[in-house]
Amino acid sequence: MNTLNEYSALLYTFLDGDLAPEQEIRLFAALSHDDDLRNELKDALLINRTIADDSGTLFPSAASDEALFARLGFMAKETPLAPVPLVEGTSNLASNLTSRITSPMTAQTLTFGVRLWNGVKRGGTMLLVALLASLLTAWLLRSGNTNYNGGNESLSTFNGFLPPIRSDDGWGVSGLGTSPQPFILADTVVRTITRTIVRNVVQETMPQKKQEAMQLDSDVAINTSQTQGSSTFSQEKSYSATIQPSTTTPHEASSNFAQPSNQVTNQSSNQATKQPSNQALTGISVSVRGLIGRSLIWATLPAKEQFPSNLAVGAMYALSPQHSVGVEAGQEAYFQRFFTRDANEVEYRVEQHPTFLWAGLAYRFTLLPESALSPFAHIVAGATEIGGMGRGMVGFSYTPDTRTMLFLGAELSSLLYQSEGAWYLSPKAGVSYGVSVRF
Amino acid sequence: MTEFARLSDEALSTLLHDESKRETAFRELYGRHKQRIYAYCVRVLGDSAAAEDIFQETFVRFFDAAKTDRTMTNVAAFLLRIARNLCLNHKRDSKPTLTLEDYDIPYKPLEYGSSELLRLITTALELLDYDHREAFVLRKYDGMSFLEIAEITNTTETNARSRVHRAQAKIREILAPYLADIDQHL
């Protein structure tokens, strides 16, 4: 390299802070009349400032840190949104679905379904109680996938799937024998809370219902003594009852969409049984559904799921027997693969599988509303924390009575998000199942 | 602040001999020195991918060496020596870099921002010969004194100072057209 001229050498030494006082005088004298030297000083200061800014930004990426620690055999730390090294390979669809099916949340949804089945006969309030109980149990069990050992059931491994068991009072929750494990503790808490609510809240309304039923019984008795076959009578404005020698099917009941109805079945001589919750339906329904899905991008990372993942709740309003609109919200993991750059303009392909909250507007079309079993289509247009989201589901719904609907469908959904100006889609396909309760 | 954060580099390097404390001690040392080593590798090599590999290899070798019973009095210098040797090996095994005489940065109007200027400076840095570039990086990125640079690069303090100053002057010379352009717009 070329030798520096005398004043340039003085200039850089001055910038280093090492220039002697007498040399400073010489330098400043030269600066006072030398434009080139002044420009050199200005440029040197600009370069030094730029480099000082740069040196503060030069850090290895989190992926580099983790790769180094992995080489040294250290345990990896959680870095949820940091670029991660690519892992070649394929995910196992069966194990993916199995792990989701056996998740505590899924188990609780199934448990809730069974509770619901029991609760249908006891009225809408009980359904809400059951829902709350299920959610509470799921929350208590949110750690999931815990190994359990002990108890009298020689239960070696518990992966979160809890077969629902109906107890004597009809409101028992899932059990695991007599093993004094956390699940049992959670179960006991839920059972206690449920019973308390049932006794203190729900049963407060029972005397009134019993009185109504008794009044109904007496009226039925009077009317059946006067007529043969079917007859109809009115009891105030909001109730009607039909006396039928033969049993009324749920299908017939479900066809009375949003109509006040009351059915009394004449089981034996002058004996009538009151069916549950026969108040007028408002057209509003609340649903909870589970989601079992798999990314259509070939995901190579496990989902980082948080409670309550793969679950959606919604509220719908029936515009007509076939058309419903409403809102729906849930939480679900979406696999993401996108490109980003670090401070050194090094491009990374990032793969991550975070969980997002989503919410949106929903529309449902029921093809055969009069039928107990009907095809349906359900679409949701919504958003997550990071971008838009769309969902579409087709499947079948089963309506055992006027209030309850069970459904199962195939669902496609996609997350739309942006990274550094580029848009990405993260599509998923799967199965959705759940229950809906009309009010 | 953890208990390890209060310890000196020397004390931490001693803890690397203890298997139960090795990981925590290493993470602490890594946190202290990774920026300087990384900046050195990136700016001396001018190749991010190679720099990343050498950066990791530096700490792996440091870890292997530190696990033994040897005591380190100057961890920063030890790490830098490892990184420097690896960088020199990489330079020796790589194709020769272009010299200033056969390289010309194509002139184009600038979008004036610090990132653009930084890109130009790093490009100019890559055009310097290795000794000058290394001395400049050690001075500007690692904040080393001329005496420390001299010790690391096996030269005299005067020579180290001269290399840094010449590197600065050469960078300015390479960037002169751009700097004049920037000056007109500021």
Side-chain angles (χ1 to χ4, degrees):
Chain A
M1 284 203 181
N2 298 330
T3 306
L4 288 175
N5 70 49
E6 180 189 359
Y7 286 109
S8 291
L10 289 176
L11 180 69
Y12 291 119
T13 307
F14 169 72
L15 291 175
D16 289 331
D18 295 336
L19 197 61
E22 61 274 19
Q23 290 177 316
E24 272 190 21
I25 294 169
R26 285 182 59 206
L27 176 64
F28 290 158
L31 282 169
S32 66
H33 60 78
D34 188 338
D35 289 343
D36 289 341
L37 193 60
R38 278 203 299 273
N39 285 334
E40 190 168 359
L41 173 62
K42 187 169 58 185
D43 293 345
L45 288 170
L46 179 62
I47 290 169
N48 283 353
R49 191 168 63 240
T50 305
I51 288 171
D53 292 343
D54 178 39
S55 63
T57 62
L58 282 176
F59 279 92
S61 64
S64 178
D65 291 351
E66 293 307 323
L68 171 65
F69 294 149
R71 283 182 70 181
L72 298 176
F74 297 166
M75 294 290 287
K77 285 185 174 178
E78 287 290 322
T79 52
L81 292 175
V84 292
L86 298 180
V87 179
E88 295 299 326
T90 60
S91 61
N92 186 312
L93 178 61
S95 64
N96 186 312
L97 292 177
T98 304
S99 65
R100 289 170 186 273
I101 289 170
T102 57
S103 73
M105 196 64 250
T106 308
Q108 279 306 308
T109 305
L110 293 173
T111 304
F112 171 62
V114 173
R115 288 174 179 172
L116 182 70
W117 190 260
N118 294 329
V120 163
K121 298 170 183 175
R122 297 189 176 214
T125 309
M126 295 294 275
L127 298 183
L128 286 177
V129 172
L131 173 61
L132 291 172
S134 283
L135 291 175
L136 178 60
T137 305
W139 178 76
L140 290 166
L141 289 169
R142 65 191 183 283
S143 57
N145 297 325
T146 307
N147 290 326
Y148 286 83
N149 264 310
N152 300 329
E153 301 288 319
S154 65
L155 190 67
S156 58
T157 303
F158 166 61
N159 280 324
F161 182 76
L162 306 171
I165 297 172
R166 185 178 188 274
S167 68
D168 292 341
D169 62 5
W171 285 100
V173 292
S174 309
L176 285 173
T178 57
S179 173
Q181 300 295 346
F183 172 77
I184 299 302
L185 178 62
D187 196 6
T188 304
V189 171
V190 171
R191 189 190 292 258
T192 304
I193 293 172
T194 305
R195 282 175 173 166
T196 304
I197 294 173
V198 168
R199 286 173 183 165
N200 296 336
V201 179
V202 179
Q203 290 183 354
E204 283 180 8
T205 63
M206 288 304 288
Q208 184 185 348
K209 288 187 176 180
K210 281 183 177 176
Q211 288 173 10
E212 292 169 352
M214 288 173 65
Q215 180 65 42
L216 205 61
D217 288 347
S218 61
D219 289 342
V220 169
I222 292 167
N223 280 282
T224 49
S225 65
Q226 293 174 345
T227 60
Q228 297 293 322
S230 296
S231 66
T232 302
F233 67 94
S234 294
Q235 184 189 28
E236 300 181 346
K237 290 184 180 177
S238 60
Y239 283 88
S240 67
T242 303
I243 300 171
Q244 296 175 318
S246 60
T247 303
T248 305
T249 66
H251 303 179
E252 291 164 333
S254 66
S255 65
N256 298 326
F257 175 79
Q259 296 295 319
S261 66
N262 201 355
Q263 300 158 13
V264 178
T265 303
N266 192 3
Q267 293 179 329
S268 60
S269 59
N270 295 337
Q271 293 286 322
T273 303
K274 184 177 180 292
Q275 294 295 313
S277 305
N278 295 319
Q279 291 173 313
L281 297 178
T282 61
I284 295 174
S285 62
V286 175
S287 66
V288 57
R289 63 186 177 110
L291 310 160
I292 303 173
R294 185 186 184 285
S295 174
L296 294 180
I297 303 174
W298 204 241
T300 54
L301 291 173
K304 293 186 182 304
E305 294 182 346
Q306 301 158 355
F307 176 81
S309 289
N310 302 319
L311 183 78
V313 294
M316 302 291 286
Y317 178 72
L319 301 172
S320 72
Q322 283 192 311
H323 303 281
S324 300
V325 294
V327 292
E328 198 168 24
Q331 188 165 267
E332 190 174 8
Y334 278 89
F335 181 77
Q336 291 182 287
R337 178 179 292 157
F338 58 90
F339 293 89
T340 188
R341 289 177 180 276
D342 66 8
N344 300 318
E345 294 297 304
V346 177
E347 189 172 66
Y348 288 91
R349 190 168 80 171
V350 181
E351 291 187 346
Q352 58 188 19
H353 211 155
T355 298
F356 298 104
L357 284 170
W358 59 266
L361 300 175
Y363 166 77
R364 179 185 287 252
F365 174 74
T366 305
L367 185 63
L368 304 170
E370 294 82 12
S371 172
L373 187 64
S374 168
F376 74 92
H378 184 96
I379 58 172
V380 178
T384 68
E385 303 107 299
I386 63 159
M389 188 214 61
R391 320 182 67 88
M393 173 171 56
V394 291
F396 285 90
S397 61
Y398 174 62
T399 311
D401 59 53
T402 54
R403 287 192 180 276
T404 314
M405 183 177 75
L406 307 175
F407 57 89
L408 175 68
E411 187 176 51
L412 279 174
S413 67
S414 185
L415 175 70
L416 177 67
Y417 61 97
Q418 193 180 29
S419 174
E420 302 194 359
W423 289 93
Y424 298 89
L425 277 174
S426 178
K428 283 185 79 170
V431 173
S432 183
Y433 55 94
V435 293
S436 176
V437 181
R438 290 174 179 154
F439 293 96
Chain B
M1 183 183 285
T2 65
E3 179 189 348
F4 283 74
R6 287 190 285 268
L7 299 177
S8 67
D9 282 2
E10 189 175 347
L12 287 169
S13 69
T14 306
L15 290 177
L16 292 173
H17 307 157
D18 183 346
E19 193 170 348
S20 65
K21 297 175 181 174
R22 183 174 293 158
E23 180 177 342
T24 310
F26 178 82
R27 284 181 185 271
E28 177 63 30
L29 283 170
Y30 177 74
R32 290 181 191 181
H33 297 286
K34 66 178 180 180
Q35 195 267 335
R36 291 178 69 185
I37 301 300
Y38 185 75
Y40 174 83
C41 294
V42 169
R43 291 299 175 233
V44 164
L45 291 176
D47 176 349
S48 295
E52 190 88 18
D53 291 343
I54 288 176
F55 167 75
Q56 284 194 20
E57 187 61 28
T58 299
F59 278 94
V60 169
R61 293 196 183 190
F62 165 76
F63 184 71
D64 290 341
K67 279 193 299 189
T68 62
D69 287 338
R70 68 184 289 180
T71 300
M72 294 178 187
T73 53
N74 191 341
V75 171
F78 185 66
L79 279 166
L80 204 52
R81 280 201 185 87
I82 298 173
R84 182 170 189 266
N85 289 336
L86 290 170
C87 287
L88 285 169
N89 291 343
H90 176 80
K91 174 180 170 271
R92 184 196 59 208
D93 298 338
S94 304
K95 293 176 184 175
T97 54
L98 293 169
T99 63
L100 181 59
E101 287 68 30
D102 57 16
Y103 192 94
D104 183 30
I105 302 175
Y107 179 82
K108 63 176 183 179
L110 285 172
E111 294 291 331
Y112 297 99
S114 58
S115 60
E116 183 66 16
L117 180 58
L118 177 63
R119 189 184 66 76
L120 291 168
I121 291 172
T122 54
T123 303
L125 197 58
E126 290 167 27
L127 298 175
L128 303 181
D129 65 51
Y130 190 87
D131 291 342
H132 288 82
R133 186 196 317 163
E134 182 186 41
F136 181 84
V137 169
L138 290 171
R139 176 70 178 171
K140 298 297 179 185
Y141 283 90
D142 290 331
M144 299 181 86
S145 69
F146 294 115
L147 182 60
E148 289 173 317
I149 295 170
E151 287 173 355
I152 290 284
T153 58
N154 300 316
T155 187
T156 63
E157 185 178 356
T158 305
N159 204 8
R161 183 190 295 273
S162 175
R163 285 178 183 178
V164 173
H165 289 174
R166 286 180 189 174
Q168 282 181 285
K170 186 55 69 180
I171 288 172
R172 178 179 176 266
E173 183 184 326
I174 295 168
L175 300 182
Y178 299 93
L179 294 170
D181 203 18
I182 290 172
D183 195 38
Q184 286 178 7
H185 286 79
L186 291 179

